[in-house]
Every structure is written in C-alpha cells, then in structure tokens.
Amino acid sequence: MVVEPESYCWSSGRLVEHRDGPTWARELQPYSSLEYVVRDGGSGLSKGIALIRAERPELKDGLDVFHTLYEGGKALRQTWAAASRALEAADQQQKRFDRLGRQGKSRQGQGPPLKRAWDIAEKRMDQADRAEKALGRVQQALSLFTPEGQLNDRARAEQVVREQLPHLSGPQ
C-alpha cells in the first residue's frame, strides 16, 4: 500500500502475488516526481526502492517510525496509570490518617508510611511528566519535517532520541 504520511491519503493498495523488489518497483514507477519515501524495513520494499534509485539516484528514503511512536505512547499511558495508582494509594492513606485524627485516635507510627506513599506518588508523577515531555520531543524529532519546515535528517533525530532516552526509562 502507498500512503502519503502527512495526510494519510491512500494512493495505492492491492493484493499481489509477490511483494518482492520488482513488484514494488513497478508500483512506485508511476510516481515520477517522488523525492522521499517513508517505509518499513521490509526486504521486498527495500529492494524495490533500490531498483527505482538505480534510475533516479536523487530518491531518498527513511524508515517509518509509526510503530516506535505507537509503543512509546502505550508505555507513556502505562507510566501515567502507575503514577495515578500511586497518587490514589497515597490519597487513601491520607484519608485514613486524617480520619484517625478526627476520631481522636492515635496516629503514632502512621506518619512515616504516609510520607513514603506521598514521596512515591510524587516521584511517579514527576517521572510521567518527564516521560511525556521527552516523548513529545522524540515525536517532533522523528517527524518528516522540522518545525522550521526543513526535512528532518537521521543524525538530528538520533541526537534528540539519545538526549531523551534517560527520561524514557522504566519498566514500560
């Protein structure tokens, strides 16, 4: 299938017997003014682009980052969910602590666990916030064009991703 990445306009798609290089080359041949191809890592498509590039060496291509960004978004949602659970747990402990005080009961020994719960919640919320900002920077770096309208290049994207990786750590 051939899709324009910015508008998601589907310009070609059909079942074929083979998804090899020559088939892809025939599919891309009519796009004579094509300058840049965003693609997955499939070997047939890679070979087809190589065949087209033999005729048109100015054709450039880059790998599709859809799945990377999709998985990043999924991990971010999980990070926010963990932060939300930690915040809810701290809030529940706080309510129990406050209820003991209103009832005139001793709260001895309850303070340190409550403080730990709030510390964990704050740490997870901060982690989720940093991850969200970092993923936003990565998404911008992996987009086809920079905010200035220039074609993004791999070196710039790799640098931004390297800088943001420390903020995208954790089990997700």
Side-chain angles (χ1 to χ4, degrees):
M1 122 174 69
V2 178
V3 177
E4 195 281 321
E6 288 297 309
S7 67
Y8 297 114
C9 177
W10 184 351
S11 61
S12 172
R14 57 192 169 84
L15 290 175
V16 293
E17 192 172 324
H18 301 285
R19 292 175 293 171
D20 57 5
T23 303
W24 272 110
R26 280 192 303 279
E27 191 67 30
L28 295 172
Q29 195 66 40
Y31 299 95
S32 58
S33 55
L34 186 64
E35 296 176 7
Y36 194 87
V37 176
V38 179
R39 62 180 178 86
D40 65 13
S43 60
L45 181 54
S46 297
K47 290 174 184 173
I49 290 171
L51 290 170
I52 295 289
R53 192 176 288 123
E55 299 169 15
R56 295 186 279 175
E58 71 279 0
L59 179 65
K60 293 181 175 33
D61 72 300
L63 292 177
D64 172 23
V65 294
F66 169 80
H67 293 95
T68 301
L69 296 177
Y70 175 80
E71 292 298 325
K74 193 163 92 174
L76 181 62
R77 287 188 296 280
Q78 292 171 352
T79 301
W80 274 115
S84 180
R85 286 190 301 274
L87 189 61
E88 183 64 30
D91 188 51
Q92 290 301 316
Q93 278 191 307
Q94 183 70 53
K95 287 178 182 176
R96 283 192 295 276
F97 184 84
D98 293 346
R99 187 172 39 253
L100 288 173
R102 283 192 307 275
Q103 294 171 347
K105 296 181 180 176
S106 172
R107 296 188 285 193
Q108 186 173 6
Q110 301 294 314
L114 178 60
K115 182 181 180 335
R116 273 193 304 276
W118 280 114
D119 288 347
I120 289 169
E122 183 177 3
K123 179 182 171 190
R124 294 218 174 126
M125 292 297 284
D126 288 345
Q127 179 187 15
D129 186 53
R130 283 191 307 273
E132 184 170 10
K133 289 176 181 168
L135 186 59
R137 290 183 193 109
V138 167
Q139 286 173 329
Q140 189 176 46
L142 295 178
S143 66
L144 193 53
F145 295 99
T146 67
E148 297 80 29
Q150 307 252 331
L151 189 61
N152 248 337
D153 64 10
R154 184 182 184 99
R156 180 183 177 282
E158 285 177 346
Q159 178 187 354
V160 171
V161 170
R162 260 192 313 276
E163 291 169 0
Q164 299 309 313
L165 276 178
H167 305 296
L168 297 170
S169 61
Q172 293 82 10

